[in-house]
Amino acid sequence: MSSIEQKSANAIRFLSMDAVQKANSGHPGAPMGMAEMAYALWHNHLSHNPSNPNFFNRDRFILSNGHASMLLYSLLHLTGYDVSIDDLKNFRQLHSKTAGHPEHGYIAGIETTTGPLGQGISNAVGFALAEKMLAAQFNKDDLAIVDHHTYAFLGDGCMMEGVSHEACSLAGTLKLNKLIALYDDNEISIDGNVTGWFTDNTKQRFEAYQWNVIGPIDGHDIDAVSQAIADAKAQTEKPTLIICKTKIGKGSVSKEGSEATHGSPLGHDEIAAIREKMGWTAGAFEVPEDVASHWDAKTKGLATEQNWAALFAQYESKYPQLAKEFLRRMHGDLPQNFDEIIKAAMTDVVAKGESIATRVASKNALDALASHLPEIVGGSADLTPSNNTFFKASVDLNITTGEGNYVHYGVREFGMSAIMNGLALHGGFIPYGATFLVFSDYARNAIRMSALMEQKVIYVMTHDSIGLGEDGPTHQPVEHVESLRLIPNLRVWRPADTVETMAAWAAGLTSSKNPTLLALSRQKLPFLTRDEATVADINKGGYVLKENDNAKVTLIATGSEVELAMKVAATRDDVRVVSMPCVEIFRENDKAYKNGVLGDAPVLAIEAGTTRGWYEFADDVVGINTFGASAPAEQLFVEFGFTVDNVNQHIEQLIQK
């Protein structure tokens, strides 16, 4: 290890210390401990171009232990990304690009938002899976245009979070050999030395996952880390974990190896002492000229991209249609005729008029729409027959070749969802994945991350209410739809029939910045007759299904309860019916449209779930504020008051008020 190499690693160390100190907030210990690991990877191995951060064939780097964000920000600055010294000085401040944890979309070069521990490494599994599948779909023996690695740094916290177990277990099974994870094994978390609560044999654990494991090695030895990465890149069958033994807060005079460096600034006196100890004469936020020139990432990055561009030019000449398709998918564009495909599919659904469960209608929508989208990659958390997610163009993923478009995720709801985020972020794919709605609780934080990062990820959640019947309250989602509606930027659809289900899928596939969640029924639901204009209004999230100029009450319903609302309307001449399959989209309409849909009469909402959220629109609600019960569905709807008589009683009470 040369002196300039150590000096370049120290630049990461001191920029991180200085930024945390200026902000008087942050986590200096992890960047200090991983500085040599970062230098070895970013200087010696990482294939990227700071001048074009979205270069398609770049390696992806994920900092799973996102509290070490200053490590990444320092690297981005030193390698020439659009991160200035002023940005580093503005660390953790309002509207700063350098947020407390890496945020996707704030700075080019941040591949995914990390902070919730374990999700970064799980996203990395999705990135690596995307690379493998794209390579299978586009590479030719003579021209491999998709050929890059996914690297992840992770710490003890990520190792402890359950989602890492789910995702890493699957990564080994899927033989994602271009996934290389570097484990910052410093044995420290917020509470202190982890030996009191984390005694896993990590090496054996990952070997059992069918990973290639290297180490433990000295994580502060640049040559050793660089050689381990080189060895990992030579692996052709398995993902690799490199166990790097490090000291948190490496270089600190009084706090090295202590949890005291984890989440607090070191203090001006301590930083001054570290500068003296390490012979660092540069001032705060200063990068020595020899260090700045040594990184030289822009020159190397430009050459890397030019080499790939020359390769792609050959590919484009020899395989013009494949090249065009590759660029379309990597740019996230839908096929030019997709609007016509949607229109034809909707016309067909209306003409058929089928009364089927919306989970079955969802599969039919996939047959009609997804078959035209080679970028679709589906899957289920071990519930494929129940979720109806294996459509006519589905092909099981071949774990050896990467061919196929359907992933059997196993009973891994959280891991599945985090992996789907990685697939979407990588580019080239629209992922959908499924489970029962009640198990959205397991996946919730990854669903939240889809919304936060504005990713086109589609969640297919079936068995949406007490209508699933005998499995009982453990499987009957009561609070789930309403709680998911609380997640900003997530669009939750609860369709009432085949037409609304098709509209939901069309909205999810054409949305650019919103993940979509479909809450679908197990039981059959009747086809609802509408005119052409009313069908078009479904895209507005809420619409008048049955108008009545003499209405004394407006009924709003979703999903299976729209059938009940229409039955009530058939018994009397003073109500109108509104179907609101997507509350979030309905809110986005102008005031005039919303007022026109809601009308002037009192409003009664009907949904087989918790009631609180409906008071935004309604004066009264027929819902469920308890858990369900085990019984046939038809008995449960009567038991919980979803009957014509009970709704009529609520209507009369509203009229009297």
Side-chain angles (χ1 to χ4, degrees), residues 397-420:
L397 176 67
N398 184 311
I399 62 176
T400 300
T401 66
E403 296 171 308
N405 64 356
Y406 194 87
V407 183
H408 293 277
Y409 288 99
V411 187
R412 299 182 177 97
E413 296 89 353
F414 195 179
M416 172 184 72
S417 303
I419 289 169
M420 288 197 295

Side-chain angles (χ1 to χ4, degrees), residues 24-148:
N24 197 30
S25 173
H27 302 76
M32 294 168 70
M34 293 189 291
E36 285 82 13
M37 293 165 56
Y39 173 83
L41 173 60
W42 278 66
H43 187 272
N44 298 343
H45 294 279
L46 193 72
S47 178
H48 64 124
N49 183 7
S51 299
N52 181 15
N54 296 319
F55 159 47
F56 292 139
N57 201 44
R58 69 190 182 277
D59 289 338
R60 271 63 170 182
F61 173 76
I62 291 92
L63 182 68
S64 189
N65 42 350
H67 56 273
S69 55
M70 269 311 306
L71 176 84
L72 181 51
Y73 300 148
S74 298
L75 286 164
L76 293 173
H77 172 75
L78 290 166
T79 54
Y81 287 79
D82 185 21
V83 179
S84 67
I85 285 294
D86 285 340
D87 290 325
L88 300 186
K89 290 179 179 179
N90 207 27
F91 177 53
R92 286 186 163 233
Q93 304 309 300
L94 184 63
H95 303 310
S96 170
K97 293 192 294 187
T98 49
H101 290 80
E103 299 286 351
H104 174 71
Y106 284 33
I107 301 172
I110 297 176
E111 300 286 358
T112 182
T113 296
T114 53
L117 293 175
Q119 287 201 61
I121 181 61
S122 303
N123 293 164
V125 175
F127 278 93
L129 178 58
E131 193 275 344
K132 182 170 185 172
M133 295 178 71
L134 275 177
Q137 293 172 16
F138 288 99
N139 285 356
K140 297 297 181 180
D141 290 341
D142 56 337
L143 294 168
I145 60 169
V146 180
D147 183 13
H148 54 266

